[in-house]
Amino acid sequence: MEQVFRRINVSKLLVTIVMTIVGIIFLLPFLWMISASFKVEAEVLAYPIEWIPSTWNAVENYKEVWFGSNSFLLYYWNSIKVSFLTTFVSVFFSSIAAYSFAKIHFKGRDVLFLIVLLTYMIPPQAIIVPQYLLYSSVGLIDTHLGLILLNSFSAFGTFMLRQFFMGVNDEIIESAKMDGAGHFRTFFSIALPLVKPAIATYAILRFIWTWNDYQNPLIFLRSEHLYTIQIGIEQFADAHGSIYSLMMAAAVSAVIPLLIVFVVGQKRVIEGISLGGVKG
Amino acid sequence: MRSGSEASQERVVEEKKARMNSWKDNVSGYLFIAPMLIGSTILILYPIVASFILSLTDWNFVSGLEGASFVGLDNFITLFNNPVFLKGLVNNFILLLVVPGGLLLSLVLAVIINKNVYFKDGFKVIYFMPYISSTVAIALVFQVLFHPSEGPINQFLMSIGVENVPQWIADPAWALPSVMIIIVWTQIGFQLILYIAALQNIPPELYEAAEVDGASALYKFRKITVPLVTPTTFLLLIQGIVHTFKVFDLINVLTEGGPANATTIPVFYLYEQAFEELKTGYSSAIAVVLFIILVVITITQWFGQKKWVNY
């Protein structure tokens, strides 16, 4: 018995080692990117690949990315601003709508919920031209407000959070009502705290999606001082054309903060993806 | 008598209270959904209706509304005679091949990671990294990796003795496969995580019973795992298909549809026509075709699910 136990562990260990090697190969593009971003330009494409640079140029490369002519400081600030505000507004709108659809009995609820679900089926590319026309007629082109509004009305968020609010016990809601609490107070002080994990999951997902959004800033932003990171990095790459070490430093700068958000919140993100089965 | 009138009085009060409650419920109900409903009506529902109307016009939005004229289905006729659009549709159908291939790979990895390794969470994080990384950054990295003469991939291939290395995104024949490799790489993490979630719902007794009968690992995979994860496979299949119709970022940064339209797809053609050629009516027709394709796929999902998915 003991021998069997040990044999299983050995095979599990072997598989773990093999899978670790596969995993490293899988991540080679990332490792190459990070390594190249530390190098002097002349050594970026040298072969055999020097995974650990022989000549370090990291400080100069990153200095150019962060404080050079296309400063990432500005793009970062814009992205942080847009991503946080979008996440906040979207979570707020989706959660109050979700609570209402789950816990308040009002006329026409099911039909209205169906309408919200319908919007989920519409691919963003199919409506981008009319959205652009609408935005130019009300002056929202080239504004962060316009960009934030575009991602603030999420059928996915509403649907996902509604599932969780439906799991909240009706008696808790009823007893709050008995105590004279209105829906607003019941929502904030009772229902919302109960679905906190779901809110966190949706907030992280929304943040990632907004941070990585490329198409909307590309179409709706004109002025460089408003550019978010995804447009900024393209702009930077265009300006520094074939200087690969700088391009890789820029790519690292665009990817790393999100990887940190992800590694910190990975349990929530993975849970959320498994539950929603949805992609951005 | 007295108690009767008291009871009816109570009933009246109760009803009043209930009516007050339902009145209050209606008001708060509508107030709570108002931002969501108004926002999505203006920003999503109205534009989709507008897309349909615009697709019937010949219009360049820079010229102002008076420049618009009604042309019936002309845009659609032009569209289906346009070689670039048709090439894009064909490319998009070739891109669909990444879906089954990627799913099989993800399922195999999921089975291994789910039961047979230590640090399971660590592996999930590793495979999920490309999925959450910015597509623009990934496209830039692969532009260099795929560099025909000096890129690390070809240098490696040459060093192990491969002659005639592929020119990757510089070669019309290899450009689309290159894009497909990147799509598989970025999507594996997502599919893997859903598969692991599905695998955890398979009762272990099924495997134990098969083991008692001396079933091989491959047999268990084919006869237990694959059938029992079909709901997830179906979901991922549909989402994978829908995703290939939306890979605008990657195409726009990596290849801009080239070389020689080898990687153009309808969404990219839509973007070019709408925002570079400024053909508002014509690009709306592309949007409508895209919308119809995706709605048909989604409806297939609803109906198909019942037919061949094992629950």
Side-chain angles (χ1 to χ4, degrees), chain B residues 53-71:
Chain B
I53 297 169
L54 287 172
S55 73
L56 305 173
T57 66
D58 178 22
W59 185 36
N60 165 343
F61 63 76
V62 182
S63 72
L65 261 183
E66 54 275 15
S69 59
F70 181 77
V71 292

Side-chain angles (χ1 to χ4, degrees), chain A residues 78-90 148 206-207 210-211 261:
Chain A
N78 288 335
S79 269
I80 289 172
K81 176 181 158 197
V82 169
S83 303
F84 268 108
L85 287 174
T86 305
T87 303
F88 181 78
V89 175
S90 172
I148 292 163
R206 175 54 60 199
F207 188 88
T210 314
W211 183 274
V261 171

Side-chain angles (χ1 to χ4, degrees), chain A residues 9 12-13 15-16 19-20 22-23 26-27 29-30 32-33 45 47 49 93-94 96-97 99-101 104-108 112 115-116 119-135 149-150 153-155 158 177 183-184 187 208-209 212 214-215 218-219 230 233-234 237 244 247-248 251 254-255 258-259 262-263 266-267 269-270 273-274 277-280, chain B residues 24-26 28-30 32-33 35-37 39-40 42-48 50-51 54 59 61 109 112-113 115-119 121 123-134 136-137 140-145 147 150-152 155-156 159 185 187-188 190 193-194 197 235 239-240 243 246 248-249 252-253 267 270-271 274-275 280 283-284 287 290-291 294-295 298:
Chain A
N9 271 336
K12 198 170 174 181
L13 196 66
V15 176
T16 306
M19 285 301 288
T20 306
V22 174
F26 185 80
L27 290 183
F30 280 135
W32 188 86
M33 165 182 82
L45 292 173
Y47 195 85
I49 300 169
F93 286 167
S94 281
I96 53 172
Y99 172 81
S100 178
F101 282 128
I104 306 179
H105 301 275
F106 57 90
K107 269 190 206 134
L112 292 171
I115 291 177
V116 172
T119 66
Y120 183 51
M121 277 177 51
I122 297 172
Q125 284 95 353
I127 50 176
I128 203 138
V129 173
Q131 276 177 340
Y132 186 87
L133 299 177
L134 181 72
Y135 266 35
L149 286 177
L150 277 178
F153 306 99
S154 163
T158 309
K177 257 186 175 174
H183 277 298
F184 209 68
F187 168 74
I208 294 175
W209 292 337
N212 281 337
Y214 166 71
Q215 184 177 294
L218 176 74
I219 289 168
Q230 306 307 327
I233 184 186
E234 213 197 5
Y244 295 142
M247 263 165 67
M248 292 309 112
V255 165
L258 215 48
L259 288 187
F262 169 61
V263 172
Q266 50 113 346
K267 273 245 144 63
V269 180
I270 289 174
I273 298 273
S274 309
V278 122
K279 56 176 64 183
Chain B
K24 255 171 131 177
D25 277 352
N26 276 335
S28 358
Y30 293 133
F32 276 38
I33 62 163
M36 188 67 208
L37 207 62
S40 36
I42 295 174
L43 282 172
I44 299 166
L45 292 178
Y46 158 73
I48 192 68
S51 274
L54 287 172
W59 185 36
F61 63 76
L109 285 172
I112 297 172
I113 291 172
K115 276 279 161 63
N116 304 305
V117 298
Y118 295 106
F119 314 116
D121 284 345
F123 283 101
K124 284 189 195 171
V125 170
I126 288 178
Y127 286 99
F128 203 63
M129 279 186 179
Y131 180 77
I132 53 152
S133 298
S134 127
V136 183
L140 289 180
V141 173
F142 274 91
Q143 243 173 19
V144 189
L145 293 179
H147 192 287
E150 294 171 280
Q155 298 235 42
F156 171 72
S159 76
W185 186 69
Q187 295 299 312
I188 275 186
F190 174 74
I193 281 170
L194 285 202
L235 177 81
Q239 289 200 331
H243 176 75
K246 294 181 178 175
F248 169 77
D249 334 21
N252 195 42
V253 181
V267 281
L270 163 65
Y271 170 77
F275 296 102
T280 310
S283 62
S284 296
L290 204 64
F291 175 67
L294 291 176
V295 166
T298 312

Side-chain angles (χ1 to χ4, degrees), chain B residues 60-276:
Chain B
N60 165 343
F61 63 76
V62 182
S63 72
L65 261 183
E66 54 275 15
S69 59
F70 181 77
V71 292
L73 295 173
D74 277 7
N75 284 329
F76 292 94
I77 294 165
T78 320
L79 190 60
F80 281 100
N81 285 307
N82 181 294
V84 179
F85 177 71
L86 294 177
K87 172 91 179 150
L89 271 184
V90 172
N91 285 341
N92 216 141
F93 282 108
I94 298 174
L95 274 189
L96 295 184
L97 291 176
V98 301
V99 186
L103 285 185
L104 184 64
L105 199 59
S106 308
L107 181 56
V108 171
L109 285 172
V111 169
I112 297 172
I113 291 172
N114 188 42
K115 276 279 161 63
N116 304 305
V117 298
Y118 295 106
F119 314 116
K120 198 166 139 186
D121 284 345
F123 283 101
K124 284 189 195 171
V125 170
I126 288 178
Y127 286 99
F128 203 63
M129 279 186 179
Y131 180 77
I132 53 152
S133 298
S134 127
T135 314
V136 183
I138 288 175
L140 289 180
V141 173
F142 274 91
Q143 243 173 19
V144 189
L145 293 179
F146 277 142
H147 192 287
S149 55
E150 294 171 280
I153 293 179
N154 274 358
Q155 298 235 42
F156 171 72
L157 289 178
M158 286 188 281
S159 76
I160 59 166
V162 180
E163 289 164 32
N164 298 322
V165 287
Q167 302 295 294
W168 305 109
I169 52 173
D171 177 352
W174 273 96
L176 203 55
S178 309
V179 169
M180 291 160 81
I181 291 172
I182 302 176
I183 295 178
V184 171
W185 186 69
T186 51
Q187 295 299 312
I188 275 186
F190 174 74
Q191 296 163 346
L192 183 85
I193 281 170
L194 285 202
Y195 269 138
I196 290 178
L199 290 175
Q200 282 164 352
N201 288 330
I202 299 179
E205 301 86 54
L206 288 178
Y207 291 108
E208 282 156 20
E211 269 155 30
V212 169
D213 294 345
S216 69
L218 186 67
Y219 185 86
K220 282 186 283 179
F221 180 73
R222 279 179 42 218
K223 296 291 175 182
I224 302 173
T225 310
V226 173
L228 283 173
V229 296
T230 35
T232 306
T233 304
F234 191 73
L235 177 81
L236 289 174
L237 196 66
I238 297 295
Q239 289 200 331
I241 292 169
V242 171
H243 176 75
T244 64
F245 281 92
K246 294 181 178 175
V247 281
F248 169 77
D249 334 21
L250 185 60
I251 302 283
N252 195 42
V253 181
L254 189 70
T255 64
E256 297 195 45
N261 295 319
T263 57
T264 188
I265 57 168
V267 281
F268 180 72
Y269 185 60
L270 163 65
Y271 170 77
E272 274 186 324
Q273 296 301 312
F275 296 102
E276 284 168 15

